[in-house]
Amino acid sequence: MQLLVFAGSTRAASFNRQLAGVAATMGRAAGAQVTYLELADFDVPLYNADLEARGTPADVLRLKQIAFEHPAWIICVPEYNASYPALLKNTLDWISSPVKADPAWTDGFKSTRGKVAGMLSASPGALGGLRSQSHLAPLLLNLHCWVAPRAYGLGHAAEAFDADGQLVAEPARRGVQAVVDQVLWAARRLQQP
Ligand code: FNR
């Protein structure tokens, strides 16, 4: 199973990037072939249809291809103002926008349709960013993803990781593991003929 893991933050010390690292390790341990994606590695401008009309950026096409190749996704979503950050919205808007000039990508939902998407979040606050997930879920459904019902929000994230980026508390590890396991289980079931 090809599992794509990424965080909606490019901050160097991002809690969500650390959580994505934990989820990626768990995915590998569960037998998945994991791609850990850093959104900072992609040069993606703010979406603008006039800009797009002049040509979809090469890194957007790269992201579309990577997303397309992975039936299972884990997204670690920060919470900004009780919702998800613009970085995530911008990325998902670009990859769902059809490329009219390229027959391979005229179907806007080609890279997102049928993906099993699991959500994790991390926040320094007590709620663990769970409200961001409640906004992200409808967006993922609109992209024709299967959103895993199991989710986990890591609260008090500033105290949650050790120096190696591992989760300190066993309940937190179990919360992340449950999401990883469910996403892989569902993606495998959906791939069966
Ligand atoms: C936040 N933060 C935040 N946290 C939270 O739990 N609920 C919230 O509504 C908000 N709102 C919010 C708005 C804005 C504009 C910023 C910049 C931040 C705090 C946020 O969760 C914190 O900065 C995290 O550390 C961001 O995630 P990363 O970068 O650590 O992954």
Side-chain angles (χ1 to χ4, degrees):
M1 176 52 61
Q2 305 260 91
L3 173 66
L4 180 65
V5 181
F6 61 99
S9 174
T10 52
R11 195 170 73 86
S14 159
F15 303 125
N16 286 280
R17 288 179 59 244
Q18 290 183 72
L19 197 58
V22 170
T25 302
M26 287 179 178
R28 286 188 195 102
Q33 204 174 320
V34 177
T35 302
Y36 175 84
L37 201 70
E38 287 283 7
L39 292 183
D41 293 341
F42 294 81
D43 188 10
V44 177
L46 261 188
Y47 181 81
N48 176 308
D50 295 334
L51 178 71
E52 184 180 38
R54 296 198 286 274
T56 299
D59 275 5
V60 171
L61 295 174
R62 272 175 69 209
L63 278 170
K64 275 178 173 282
Q65 184 64 34
I66 292 167
F68 174 69
E69 287 168 358
H70 292 76
W73 300 359
I74 300 270
I75 306 175
C76 296
V77 50
E79 181 168 292
Y80 283 7
N81 291 312
S83 187
Y84 51 79
L87 170 69
L88 211 45
K89 181 80 164 79
N90 192 53
T91 304
L92 293 171
D93 286 348
W94 266 117
I95 69 171
S96 66
S97 189
V99 186
K100 295 189 183 73
D102 186 345
W105 295 113
T106 46
D107 174 2
F109 294 128
K110 178 177 167 181
S111 52
T112 60
R113 184 184 293 109
K115 308 303 178 186
V116 176
M119 295 182 295
L120 298 170
S121 56
S123 158
L127 298 179
L130 278 173
R131 293 175 302 173
S132 65
Q133 297 184 18
S134 70
H135 283 206
L136 182 60
L139 170 55
L140 293 171
L141 292 172
N142 195 68
L143 297 177
H144 301 191
C145 294
W146 299 92
V147 178
R150 193 81 193 226
Y152 180 72
L154 177 69
H156 305 292
E159 296 87 47
F161 297 94
D162 66 19
D164 298 323
Q166 300 304 312
L167 286 169
V168 175
E170 180 56 28
R173 278 196 293 273
R174 279 202 302 272
V176 177
Q177 185 78 60
V179 175
V180 171
D181 289 348
Q182 189 176 66
V183 165
L184 293 176
W185 175 84
R188 284 176 182 130
R189 294 292 291 254
L190 279 173
Q191 283 213 317
Q192 281 168 11

